[in-house]
């Protein structure tokens, strides 16, 4: 993502925070409120951030895993995360290396999540995660249809959306409205009295050009960022050079090299 430009402009990435947890609460007609979606607050310390990421993986695996019972499904999820940690121990320094200790640690974290979110703990081991993905995709589809009609380019990456910096004031409110519309339709379908508003939408915005070192970003005055992906005799590369010289505001403007 650090090398993306859209029509000659740098990008902004708009991301939902704790999307899966918010959707699970909507399934039971509730809001997450002020609680942390993944138990641990983000940004407290590097160790806490690693633990938060672990809780997130346990939630996703737990909701997607299905067994002969909820307990069996949770066991499958815990074992799958244990195998993942085995392959990437450097990413999870908070997890013990020993297999038995690792499994016990992950099982305790799973139980901690259940105690922290008792209202949705029954989804762990249920296989219901795929339903949250459907809601997630409905939100993305609704936004992309609207933006396509308005000729606003948006890239969808899971539950985050990449757009030009100049379009963020269009995309951001449209994304909030898409969330509200889809979640309220879900609540209505399930006969819940609760309704959400734009104030209930938790999103975070990251400007890639501001958070990355200059040499990593696409720069109009230095088109050598395309060297890694394009050959010098490539037509796209020639267009990029011509666009840089032209001063045109949009990269898709017709250019004669």
């Amino acid at each position: 993502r650090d090398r993306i430009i859209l029509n000659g402009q740098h990008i902004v990435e708009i991301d939902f925070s704790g999307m899966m947890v918010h959707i699970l609460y909507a399934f039971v007609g509730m809001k997450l409120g002020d609680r942390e979606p993944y138990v641990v607050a983000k940004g407290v310390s590097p160790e806490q951030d690693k633990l938060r990421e672990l809780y997130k993986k346990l939630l996703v695996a737990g909701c997607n895993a299905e067994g002969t019972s909820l307990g069996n499904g949770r066991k499958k999820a815990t074992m799958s995360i244990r195998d993942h940690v085995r392959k990437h121990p450097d990413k999870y320094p908070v997890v013990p290396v020993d297999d038995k200790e690792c499994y016990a640690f992950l099982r305790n974290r799973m139980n901690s999540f259940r105690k922290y979110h008792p209202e949705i703990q029954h989804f762990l081991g249920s296989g219901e995660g795929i339903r949250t993905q459907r809601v997630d995709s409905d939100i993305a589809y609704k936004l992309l249809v609207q933006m396509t009609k308005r000729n606003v380019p948006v890239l969808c990456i899971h539950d985050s959306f990449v757009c030009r910096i100049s379009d963020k004031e269009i995309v951001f409110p449209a994304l909030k409205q898409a969330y509200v519309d889809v979640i309220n339709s879900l609540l209505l379908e399930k006969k819940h009295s609760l309704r959400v508003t734009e104030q209930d939408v938790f999103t975070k915005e990251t400007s890639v050009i501001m958070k990355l070192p200059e040499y990593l970003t696409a720069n109009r005055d230095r088109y050598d960022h395309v060297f890694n992906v394009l050959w010098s005799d490539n037509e796209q590369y020639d267009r990029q050079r011509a666009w840089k010289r032209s001063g045109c505001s949009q990269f898709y403007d017709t250019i004669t090299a």
Side-chain angles (χ1 to χ4, degrees):
R1 303 174 200 182
D2 57 337
R3 298 179 187 276
I4 295 176
I5 53 172
L6 290 177
N7 295 339
Q9 288 189 29
H10 293 292
I11 62 167
V12 168
E13 183 175 4
I14 302 170
D15 188 15
F16 281 103
S17 179
M19 170 72 98
M20 190 176 200
V21 181
H22 285 285
I23 294 174
L24 290 174
Y25 269 93
F27 281 168
V28 296
M30 299 179 68
K31 296 179 184 179
L32 173 64
D34 295 329
R35 279 178 288 185
E36 292 292 333
Y38 304 116
V39 182
V40 178
K42 190 173 184 179
V44 176
S45 69
E47 292 76 17
Q48 290 289 81
D49 285 347
K50 294 288 185 184
L51 187 58
R52 185 180 187 274
E53 184 64 25
L54 192 63
Y55 273 116
K56 184 176 181 179
K57 289 192 176 299
L58 282 168
L59 170 67
V60 174
C63 289
N64 286 328
E66 188 174 7
T68 54
S69 65
L70 290 180
N72 181 254
R74 289 194 289 266
K75 182 178 180 180
K76 285 183 176 180
T78 305
M79 291 176 70
S80 71
I81 297 300
R82 182 196 62 185
D83 294 341
H84 174 73
V85 170
R86 246 190 223 153
K87 295 177 182 177
H88 309 282
D90 54 312
K91 292 184 178 181
Y92 304 98
V94 295
V95 182
V97 176
D98 179 77
D99 269 3
K100 289 184 178 179
E101 291 181 7
C102 176
Y103 180 81
F105 180 88
L106 294 173
R107 183 183 59 199
N108 290 338
R109 299 288 76 73
M110 179 79 78
N111 289 334
S112 295
F113 186 92
R114 294 172 62 199
K115 290 177 182 178
Y116 189 80
H117 292 296
E119 300 87 349
I120 60 172
Q121 64 91 18
H122 60 283
F123 289 112
L124 294 169
S126 67
E128 292 288 294
I130 193 168
R131 291 175 59 213
T132 69
Q133 295 170 30
R134 171 58 195 265
V135 176
D136 199 335
S137 65
D138 284 345
I139 294 169
Y141 179 75
K142 192 173 186 69
L143 173 75
L144 294 176
V145 166
Q146 289 183 38
M147 294 301 99
T148 300
K149 288 179 179 178
R150 299 180 67 171
N151 280 329
V152 175
V154 176
L155 303 179
C156 176
I157 306 171
H158 302 297
D159 60 354
S160 70
F161 302 86
V162 170
C163 68
R164 298 179 296 187
I165 289 178
S166 63
D167 290 330
K168 73 176 183 179
E169 300 304 328
I170 299 173
V171 176
F172 196 62
L175 181 57
K176 285 185 175 183
Q177 191 59 53
Y179 176 90
V180 169
D181 291 346
V182 171
I183 295 298
N184 280 339
S185 294
L186 170 68
L187 291 166
L188 182 64
E189 178 188 337
K190 291 185 173 295
K191 297 182 169 55
H192 293 307
S193 59
L194 175 72
R195 295 295 180 267
V196 298
T197 67
E198 288 190 7
Q199 283 67 45
D200 299 309
V201 184
F202 291 78
T203 58
K204 55 190 177 184
E205 177 188 312
T206 302
S207 175
V208 173
I209 188 173
M210 286 190 288
K211 82 170 184 177
L212 293 170
E214 182 181 354
Y215 71 91
L216 285 177
T217 58
N219 190 308
R220 183 187 185 95
D221 297 323
R222 291 178 59 240
Y223 49 84
D224 56 342
H225 63 274
V226 298
F227 285 171
N228 292 334
V229 292
L230 300 173
W231 297 106
S232 60
D233 59 351
N234 184 286
E235 181 180 351
Q236 177 72 8
Y237 172 79
D238 292 338
R239 284 190 67 229
Q240 179 82 356
R241 292 183 63 191
W243 167 79
K244 185 262 178 183
R245 294 192 302 266
S246 70
C248 289
S249 60
Q250 305 292 339
F251 183 53
Y252 57 65
D253 287 348
T254 301
I255 299 295
T256 303

